[in-house]
Amino acid sequence: MRTNDKIHAALAFCDPRGTYCRHAAVTMASIFANTESRVCVHIVHDDTLTHENRVKLELLASSYEQELNFINVENLLDTERIDVSRLTVDGMRGTLFRLLLPDVSSEDKMIYLDCDIVVNMDIAELWNVPLGGRAVAAVRDVWSLDYLKGKPLPWRLDKAWRLLGVKRGEYFNAGVLLMNLKKMREEYDFLDAVGSFYAKYKKCITLADQDCLNHIFANDKLLIDERFNHIDAAGATEESLKGSIWHMAGGAAKPWVLCTRPYVDDLYWRYLRKTPYCRDDNELIRLMLHDLSTSSYAHLHSSDCVKRIKKQIADNIFRGHIWTLPHIFFKRFFGGER
């Protein structure tokens, strides 16, 4: 495998609302701030990447004197070879992009990262993990970790793993991957394997690209330490944040939606402050308030809601007494009760 001193990392996203680039910038800033080596970040995108967002990502990379490479896959999608509707469960392009890396990059090795991740460590530690000839290195998903700790495995999950050909406790999370792209190109007809997977399992999978990767590399993977893709934030402290890649997995639990992981969610906002999406502390505060106020679970007028709920409860009790007290009185004095 060809090696050099430069670390190659890839982020992949479809951004129709123009908001997801900010999260990618946080991941990038966390890599740059903690890594001494030269890094090239490859952005795999389609035409939804706006010029304004591209400029901000370029400014971020240049501020750390690091390299950025944009890979537009728009012209590859919806063709005879890469049919999005056939290769994904719901037709969403973004779920497919990481699966294109062997075809769209000429590098021998690549770190892939989801955009809900903060790299609070020198990413060279992951880059230097010996793959030992395996196609991919990844961390066990939370269900696998729970199973190894002795927790019962849900029957549906057990059946899904068996269907995919994955051994119990070896299902991995695809949010952080060290990919042997050279082997994937030389020993796998990767996109054909992806197409065959979706044709066979499309109606019975839940985590489209993750299930796909687990199936294809069921017997060609290296399972690595949890700190390289830390999802369980229970018991996290300020001191324990260092030395891990933190993954804010879960759609309703993103740090920009709701604060559910003390200390860990803080990292998102700290690294956002280091990006062109946040120019000063005042803007950081405004962004935090704006984002968290849009959640249906926590918003700026919560205190008013509490007041309305208290008033409604009191009103219900009062109205309840109006209708129940005459009934009790009637039964008491005319119904023969003593």
Side-chain angles (χ1 to χ4, degrees):
M1 180 180 293
R2 185 180 76 242
T3 59
N4 54 46
D5 295 333
K6 189 184 298 181
I7 296 171
H8 292 273
L11 306 177
F13 55 84
C14 178
D15 195 12
R17 292 182 294 177
T19 57
Y20 213 72
C21 284
R22 193 187 87 182
H23 312 319
V26 171
T27 303
M28 288 172 56
S30 69
I31 296 172
F32 298 152
N34 291 294
T35 304
E36 295 182 1
S37 308
R38 296 288 301 164
V39 179
C40 177
V41 173
H42 302 261
I43 303 292
V44 185
H45 65 93
D46 60 7
D47 284 349
T48 60
L49 176 63
T50 65
H51 175 72
E52 179 183 4
N53 279 321
R54 179 177 177 132
V55 168
K56 286 183 177 180
L57 296 179
E58 290 172 336
L59 284 172
L60 174 60
S62 64
S63 68
Y64 283 94
E65 299 183 346
Q66 298 288 15
E67 188 177 342
L68 192 58
N69 176 41
F70 291 96
I71 305 174
N72 191 341
V73 297
E74 182 73 36
N75 293 333
L76 296 177
L77 304 174
D78 297 322
T79 63
E80 183 178 346
R81 180 157 168 75
I82 307 175
D83 183 345
V84 175
S85 63
R86 181 173 62 87
L87 296 184
T88 62
V89 175
D90 52 11
M92 293 297 292
R93 291 180 167 202
T95 62
L96 181 63
F97 288 1
R98 86 185 74 184
L99 304 179
L100 301 179
L101 281 171
D103 275 38
V104 300
S105 172
S106 61
E107 299 300 327
D108 289 349
K109 186 170 70 168
M110 185 81 71
I111 293 173
Y112 168 80
L113 299 167
D114 279 351
C115 294
D116 55 351
I117 278 175
V118 168
V119 180
N120 209 37
M121 65 184 299
D122 190 326
I123 205 169
E125 293 186 49
L126 174 57
W127 180 254
N128 293 326
V129 169
L131 277 166
R134 302 297 179 91
V136 66
V139 175
R140 288 178 173 87
D141 198 42
V142 288
W143 287 107
S144 294
L145 292 169
D146 286 345
Y147 172 77
L148 294 179
K149 294 173 185 175
K151 295 184 180 180
L153 188 64
W155 68 270
R156 186 188 181 283
L157 201 59
D158 191 23
K159 288 185 178 297
W161 287 356
R162 289 175 182 272
L163 186 68
L164 296 174
V166 178
K167 295 178 182 177
R168 287 183 174 181
E170 291 193 3
Y171 184 89
F172 61 80
N173 183 279
V176 178
L177 300 170
L178 179 60
M179 306 176 73
N180 187 341
L181 298 184
K182 184 174 186 291
K183 181 174 186 177
M184 292 181 189
R185 286 190 291 265
E186 293 179 351
E187 299 184 21
Y188 290 84
D189 193 341
F190 189 62
L191 281 182
D192 282 350
V194 171
S196 297
F197 169 82
Y198 281 109
K200 187 175 182 179
Y201 299 108
K202 188 172 183 178
K203 295 183 179 180
C204 56
I205 57 176
T206 54
L207 300 172
D209 47 347
Q210 184 164 287
D211 285 345
C212 179
L213 290 166
N214 270 275
H215 171 70
I216 294 174
F217 302 122
N219 298 309
D220 197 8
K221 63 180 180 289
L222 174 68
L223 295 171
I224 56 179
D225 192 273
E226 184 183 358
R227 71 191 184 93
F228 291 115
N229 187 358
H230 216 142
I231 298 176
D232 184 3
T237 64
E238 186 76 32
E239 293 73 23
S240 69
L241 294 178
K242 298 179 181 178
S244 289
I245 296 176
W246 292 95
H247 188 177
M248 288 77 167
K254 303 302 184 188
W256 55 88
V257 175
L258 195 65
C259 182
T260 60
R261 290 166 293 254
Y263 297 104
V264 174
D265 283 356
D266 298 358
L267 291 173
Y268 173 84
W269 301 104
R270 294 181 191 179
Y271 285 108
L272 178 63
R273 178 64 181 85
K274 298 177 182 292
T275 75
Y277 289 89
C278 185
R279 292 166 293 185
D280 53 41
D281 292 343
N282 289 330
E283 188 169 11
L284 175 64
I285 293 171
R286 285 195 295 272
L287 285 170
M288 292 176 68
L289 290 174
H290 174 270
D291 284 14
L292 296 177
S293 69
T294 59
S295 168
S296 58
Y297 303 102
H299 42 79
L300 291 176
H301 55 279
S302 294
S303 60
D304 291 336
C305 290
V306 171
K307 291 177 183 177
R308 287 198 298 273
I309 291 171
K310 288 170 64 177
K311 182 179 178 181
Q312 185 65 53
I313 291 173
D315 188 57
N316 288 344
I317 293 172
F318 175 73
R319 289 181 182 275
H321 284 170
I322 288 176
W323 294 108
T324 57
L325 285 176
H327 175 71
I328 294 173
F329 178 81
F330 183 84
K331 287 194 66 175
R332 174 80 175 176
F333 292 96
F334 300 98
E337 294 185 8
R338 293 288 185 266

